[in-house]
Amino acid sequence: AEVMIEPAIYTDNGMSFEAFMSAINDGRDRVLRAWKVTMNWVLTIPRNRPRKGDDIARWAVSATARKGFVVGLGLSGQEDEQPTGQFKRAFAVAKKHDLPRLVQAGNVKGAAGVNEALTELEPTGLLDPYGILEDDQLMALLAGLQMPISISLIRELRLGRIAEFSDYPIQQLYDADVPLIIGSGLPMIYKSSLNDEYEAAVAAGLGLDELEQVALNGIRCSHMPDEQKQAMLDEFTAAYAQLREEHLSGEEQT
């Protein structure tokens, strides 16, 4: 699991960055021991706190962060809270150090906000880019870049952008030749889990083959070392084949 977390929430209350990293990695160790789940971190700048951007970027590329399983820099929040350009310097620092960069864009300005983020911040991945299908040139650009796009259908439902899951254009996104990923956004607030999100994708119209590819995209576009990615891809592909054999052998696979 790659988890976005805002360090400023804790450092503003007197915790040092080193203590913050120690705390979250204590939790990481407990999760690994109890459930065999490995967690890595994307340190995230909140859009309403642009003055924290440089600090968080500096932390994210530090030796402490690299040793502490930080795999990226993120930007989250409403696009109209602060101009995107205010975060340009922080993202340039991450790019200089070859650190992946994830941006939540399109949640207010739609395709225009995504275009702005691409120009100003040069992200390596997009989160919840609502409205991008309205701009053919943008979709062609994203396909050319093979820009990973992570979506949360439950988040869009809770925010009132869709009345039901079938209203979300997930099939069009899947067919648009961009790496589509399903994630769980703010699960404690939006009351969702990754399982819930996959069930929502079924309700939105994705079939078995498409769900399998979306899940594998999550591995392909992760920030694990290449050898770990390939090992997990092989493991998941074999597991899916076994599940098909056990549950769908002789049946139409839809």
Side-chain angles (χ1 to χ4, degrees):
E2 294 180 347
V3 182
M4 298 182 73
I5 185 168
E6 295 182 4
I9 295 172
Y10 308 94
T11 57
D12 283 354
N13 287 315
M15 180 180 282
S16 69
F17 178 66
E18 289 73 17
F20 164 76
M21 290 301 304
S22 177
I24 62 173
N25 283 315
D26 176 69
R28 180 185 190 275
D29 291 343
R30 293 168 185 261
V31 169
L32 181 59
R33 290 196 303 269
W35 292 288
K36 305 295 188 257
V37 173
T38 299
M39 300 172 70
N40 293 329
W41 313 109
V42 177
L43 298 189
T44 304
I45 306 167
R47 279 190 185 259
N48 61 356
R49 300 288 303 284
R51 293 184 180 181
K52 300 299 295 188
D54 290 349
D55 287 341
I56 294 172
R58 186 175 66 252
W59 294 335
V61 301
S62 68
T64 299
R66 295 301 180 101
K67 292 177 182 177
F69 309 103
V70 171
V71 296
L73 178 71
L75 178 65
S76 67
Q78 298 290 94
E79 290 167 306
D80 55 355
E81 290 181 311
Q82 292 290 339
T84 300
Q86 292 212 40
F87 306 95
K88 190 171 184 177
R89 185 166 59 186
F91 271 70
V93 169
K95 181 181 179 182
K96 181 179 178 180
H97 288 82
D98 295 321
L99 187 70
R101 304 165 303 282
L102 308 177
V103 176
Q104 189 176 41
N107 53 25
V108 174
K109 299 180 180 179
V114 175
N115 273 308
E116 188 178 78
L118 293 173
T119 301
E120 297 280 358
L121 305 180
E122 299 182 74
T124 57
L126 295 172
L127 308 173
D128 307 312
Y130 199 76
I132 56 176
L133 288 168
E134 300 167 3
D135 187 327
D136 292 339
Q137 288 186 332
L138 173 59
M139 290 306 302
L141 174 61
L142 294 175
L145 293 172
Q146 282 296 282
M147 178 73 66
I149 292 174
S150 179
I151 63 170
S152 167
L153 277 74
I154 292 175
R155 177 181 183 275
E156 302 303 341
L157 185 74
R158 300 283 190 259
L159 291 175
R161 289 200 181 99
I162 55 175
E164 53 190 49
F165 295 128
S166 59
D167 293 335
Y168 193 91
I170 194 169
Q171 187 67 56
Q172 293 94 309
L173 278 178
Y174 181 88
D175 293 338
D177 194 29
V178 293
L180 183 64
I181 304 167
I182 292 174
S184 180
L186 295 174
M188 293 302 293
I189 293 176
Y190 297 125
K191 307 301 180 186
S192 73
S193 68
L194 199 54
N195 284 345
D196 296 329
E197 293 286 354
Y198 272 83
E199 289 181 359
V202 173
L206 287 193
L208 181 62
D209 291 342
E210 295 158 330
L211 285 173
E212 184 172 322
Q213 287 307 309
V214 168
L216 294 176
N217 283 343
I219 301 172
R220 296 186 188 104
C221 299
S222 72
H223 304 111
M224 293 185 292
D226 289 342
E227 289 185 3
Q228 291 183 25
K229 283 188 190 182
Q230 190 57 55
M232 188 173 283
L233 282 169
D234 293 343
E235 180 184 355
F236 271 58
T237 300
Y240 289 145
Q242 182 177 347
L243 287 168
R244 287 173 182 267
E245 179 66 25
E246 289 177 359
H247 298 283
L248 295 171
S249 180
E251 298 181 13
E252 182 179 357
Q253 298 186 13
T254 58

